[in-house]
Amino acid sequence: MSDTDEYTPVEHVALSDPEFKKQLALVIPHLRAFGRSLSGSRDLADDLVQETLMKAWAARQRFQAGTNMRAWTFIILRNLYLSQMRRARFKGEWDDLVADRILAAPASQDRHVELADMQRALLHLPQPQREALILVGAGGFAYEEAAEICGVAVGTIKSRVARGRVALEALMNGGDLPSRADSVSDGRSALDTIMDEVDELSRE
C-alpha cells in the first residue's frame, strides 16, 4: 500500500459560535502585546487588534477546532500589519506620543525610561528579526510555531532570532541611541527586559 493510500484527510471541524467567541476573547491580550511590539504604537496596535478580531470572526468557519487560536490570530494580525506597512511605507520611526506616555508613567519611572530606549532599539531592527524576537522571546512560541506564523522555515526563524539578539544588544550598547540602559547593571540583557515587559502586557 502506498503512502498516498494510507493518508486520511483530517475532517474539518469548526467551533460553535459561542465557543469560538470564548477562545477568541482569551487571545485578545496576547494580540494587543504582539501588535504593540510590532508597531511601537498603542493606538496602531488597538486598530490592528480590532481589525484582526473582525477578520477572525468573519473567517471563523475556517478555523479548525483543536488547533492553536493564538497562532492563527497572530498570522492574521501580522498580515494586516505588513499590509499597513506597505501602504504607509512605514519606516519604523519612533512615535513620540507613545514615548511620552511611557516616560510619564507614575510607577517604576526608571524602568520605563529604559524601556523607551529598548523599544526604540527594537524598532530599528529589520522587521523580520523584530517579529521573530517578539514571537519566540515574548510570545513563548516554539520555533516551529513562529515559523508557521511567519511563513518561513524553522531554520530561518532561528537565524533571525540569533541575528536579532546580536543586533539589539549592539544598538543598546553601541551608543547609537540615547539610552539610559547603562545605568542598570543587574546582569540582564536589554532583550530580556523588553521581553518581560511584553509578557506583562499580555497579562493585562
Side-chain angles (χ1 to χ4, degrees), residues 40-199:
S41 166
R42 183 185 302 267
D43 292 337
L44 177 56
D46 288 344
D47 290 342
L48 285 169
V49 171
Q50 183 176 358
E51 192 169 352
T52 296
L53 295 176
M54 290 190 297
K55 284 187 174 293
W57 181 256
R60 62 191 181 279
Q61 291 301 316
R62 296 203 296 270
F63 178 73
Q64 174 70 32
T67 59
N68 192 328
M69 173 69 77
R70 190 160 63 113
W72 186 69
T73 53
F74 270 37
I75 292 172
I76 297 173
L77 187 145
R78 176 181 180 269
N79 289 339
L80 287 170
Y81 174 70
L82 293 178
S83 295
Q84 196 165 87
M85 275 180 53
R86 286 191 291 267
R87 288 196 303 267
R89 295 183 181 178
F90 180 75
K91 298 179 181 178
E93 296 176 355
W94 182 245
D95 185 336
D96 289 335
L97 294 178
V98 175
D100 287 344
R101 281 197 291 269
I102 292 172
L103 295 176
S108 305
Q109 185 172 2
D110 290 343
R111 175 178 170 82
H112 284 286
V113 170
E114 180 186 356
L115 176 62
D117 290 337
M118 285 185 290
Q119 286 180 319
R120 186 183 303 181
L122 192 66
L123 289 172
H124 275 72
L125 295 181
Q127 187 268 336
Q129 292 180 18
R130 183 169 73 248
E131 70 179 6
L133 285 174
I134 292 165
L135 290 170
V136 175
F141 286 102
Y143 286 115
E144 292 78 8
E145 292 174 313
E148 180 182 357
I149 291 171
C150 297
V152 298
V154 174
T156 300
I157 286 292
K158 290 181 177 180
S159 176
R160 288 176 180 177
V161 169
R163 293 200 309 270
R165 286 181 182 273
V166 172
L168 185 62
E169 292 294 344
L171 281 167
M172 293 299 301
N173 298 324
D176 295 331
L177 293 169
S179 171
R180 292 180 173 86
D182 291 340
S183 64
V184 179
S185 56
D186 60 358
R188 291 170 55 77
S189 71
L191 179 62
D192 290 333
T193 308
I194 196 169
M195 291 310 168
D196 285 350
E197 183 71 17
V198 176
D199 187 52

